[in-house]
Amino acid sequence: HPQDVFATITKNRDAFFFCDVQARGYYPSYKLRELERKGITIPFEDDDKEILKNNTIDFLSFSYYATHGFEEIEGLTVVDMLRRAEIPTVTVSIGSSRNIIGAHRIEVEADIMFHEVLEAEGAMYVLPGGMPGTLHLKDHEGLGKLLQKAYKNEKYLAAICAAPTVFEKYGFLEGRKATSYPAMEEELKSADYQTDKVVVDGKIITSRGMGTAIDFAAKLVEIIKGTKEKDELLKSIVYGE
């Protein structure tokens, strides 16, 4: 029943409103109104609002574990490395459950559902590849709208393997350098196709596949926290030695 659906969405939003606070850097108006109705006032000190503003989530992974059929190593490697670098990372399911079965029958649990972070704005959105996961990403209307908004607002957008074809669908790659899983090259018709492991053009980051997942994740760490942090992370996992 529509009322039941709305009630569930409202309950989940109440439970996860902290995502809005962490991503936006301030308490959303809907939460302040709710607290006011309950007679609750948040006692802000002089610099509290400034602290919230300056300590937002650095990274919001909007589609790792996105749906059935995602490529597990591409998803898990990136999330693992970002969290090792102490970059706040949220995994989100666009399916009907937080429990997602990957392309190779590995089951994982996302942190939250898509509708629970609709009002949050991350600094970066990342799409894993895999089939049929990438097709589900392409077909998800809500995710498409969110990615287009993120692109318009000049957020970082990253995709690996087959997932850059999602960016192609929305025109993000037109005239840009980009890469993908080799078999997807013909689908990136508007891109200046490259064969490097990781390609960065402006705020669009693309990569080739499972074998380039560490390089892809390392580049995301470098973008968010700098070269020194990236180098230290790679050394700590004995990569390239």
Side-chain angles (χ1 to χ4, degrees), residues 84-98:
R84 285 174 188 261
E86 299 184 349
I87 297 173
T89 306
V90 180
T91 59
V92 183
S93 168
I94 66 166
S96 59
S97 169
R98 291 187 192 179

Side-chain angles (χ1 to χ4, degrees), residues 24-227:
R24 292 174 180 269
Y26 57 85
Y27 276 78
S29 58
Y30 71 83
K31 195 62 182 179
L32 292 175
R33 289 195 299 269
E34 177 193 337
L35 294 174
E36 183 179 357
R37 289 194 298 269
K38 295 178 178 179
I40 300 173
T41 301
I42 300 176
F44 286 106
E45 299 296 333
D46 291 341
D47 57 352
D48 284 349
K49 292 184 178 180
E50 195 66 23
I51 290 173
L52 283 176
K53 180 181 178 181
N54 294 330
N55 291 276
T56 54
I57 290 175
D58 292 316
F59 177 93
L60 179 62
S61 171
F62 207 79
S63 52
Y64 278 107
Y65 317 160
T67 186
H68 294 302
F70 81 99
E71 211 303 313
E72 296 94 336
I73 287 180
E74 293 166 8
L76 293 172
T77 298
V78 173
V79 174
D80 178 289
M81 289 183 63
L82 290 170
R83 290 180 174 172
R84 285 174 188 261
E86 299 184 349
I87 297 173
T89 306
V90 180
T91 59
V92 183
S93 168
I94 66 166
S96 59
S97 169
R98 291 187 192 179
N99 296 315
I100 307 298
I101 298 175
H104 302 90
R105 310 301 298 172
I106 300 173
E107 184 173 356
V108 297
E109 182 178 359
D111 296 323
I112 50 179
M113 298 291 294
F114 179 83
H115 65 261
E116 294 170 341
V117 292
L118 278 178
E119 296 191 43
E121 296 181 358
M124 180 184 289
Y125 300 89
V126 184
L127 307 182
M131 286 294 182
T134 297
L135 300 179
H136 297 320
L137 295 176
K138 281 186 179 181
D139 291 340
H140 195 282
E141 183 178 353
L143 177 62
K145 290 180 179 179
L146 182 109
L147 291 174
Q148 290 177 81
K149 179 181 178 182
Y151 180 78
K152 181 179 179 181
N153 292 336
E154 298 185 345
K155 304 289 186 178
Y156 284 105
L157 297 172
I160 186 171
C161 194
T165 60
V166 179
F167 293 170
E168 176 68 20
K169 174 181 178 179
Y170 296 110
F172 302 163
L173 301 183
E174 185 171 355
R176 291 182 182 272
K177 293 180 180 179
T179 193
S180 69
Y181 188 70
M184 298 291 110
E185 178 177 353
E186 292 301 316
E187 295 196 34
L188 303 190
K189 299 183 184 300
S190 70
D192 178 4
Y193 197 84
Q194 308 290 307
T195 57
D196 297 335
K197 291 181 179 180
V198 183
V199 176
V200 180
D201 191 327
K203 291 195 171 183
I204 303 290
I205 307 101
T206 52
S207 188
R208 306 273 286 169
M210 185 187 79
T212 64
I214 290 180
D215 298 275
F216 180 55
K219 177 57 67 174
L220 302 185
V221 171
E222 183 177 29
I223 288 171
I224 296 297
K225 301 199 74 171
T227 301

